[in-house]
Amino acid sequence: MKKIILLLFCVPLLLASTCEDDDQIFCTTEAVAALNVSVTLGESSSLVSDGITVVATDGNYSETLVVNDATNPVFVGAYERQGNYIITVSKDGYQTYTSEIIQITRDECHVIPEQIQVNLVPN
């Protein structure tokens, strides 16, 4: 009887010690763009990148975002960099767009990306 009682007390301890492996987090090695900016012009719903400049600023830090894929013209940047950004989007013949502050945070592995959609209005 004592062995059964001892066994009943030990089993939960053994089970609890095996659960620690479930909490392990595996991170990828890819770099994640914190800012992803899509731009349209006027009434059009098509994404564009020709002649457009997108700049992200966080205090003294400034970066011009780039398009990596012409078939999906999304401006990306601030790879793995958290912060409080203001986005400026400009193109000749259109009013310059300036965002409110966009706060970028991170989890255990990467920044949490923000998707920003901007529609430039003609002058």
Side-chain angles (χ1 to χ4, degrees):
M1 181 71 168
K2 290 181 183 179
K3 290 181 182 180
I4 292 174
I5 293 173
L6 182 61
L7 184 62
L8 289 175
F9 283 110
C10 291
V11 168
L13 292 174
L14 291 172
L15 290 175
S17 67
T18 61
C19 293
E20 290 179 25
D21 293 338
D22 295 340
D23 294 338
Q24 192 171 11
I25 296 172
F26 295 97
C27 297
T28 63
T29 58
E30 71 179 325
V32 175
L35 301 169
N36 300 270
V37 181
S38 302
V39 181
T40 56
L41 300 176
E43 302 287 323
S44 175
S45 61
S46 299
L47 298 181
V48 294
S49 61
D50 289 342
I52 295 174
T53 302
V54 179
V55 177
T57 306
D58 175 21
N60 293 330
Y61 177 84
S62 181
E63 177 181 347
T64 301
L65 278 56
V66 297
V67 173
N68 291 329
D69 179 4
T71 61
N72 183 27
V74 176
F75 293 85
V76 295
Y79 282 86
E80 296 298 346
R81 189 177 190 283
Q82 65 185 49
N84 296 309
Y85 293 92
I86 294 177
I87 305 292
T88 305
V89 181
S90 58
K91 177 178 175 62
D92 287 341
Y94 290 83
Q95 296 175 20
T96 298
Y97 168 85
T98 303
S99 74
E100 298 292 322
I101 293 175
I102 299 165
Q103 184 177 21
I104 300 297
T105 58
R106 67 180 305 114
D107 61 16
E108 298 85 8
C109 297
H110 299 288
V111 293
I112 309 300
E114 281 290 325
Q115 311 293 326
I116 300 113
Q117 297 179 352
V118 175
N119 179 264
L120 292 181
V121 178
N123 285 334

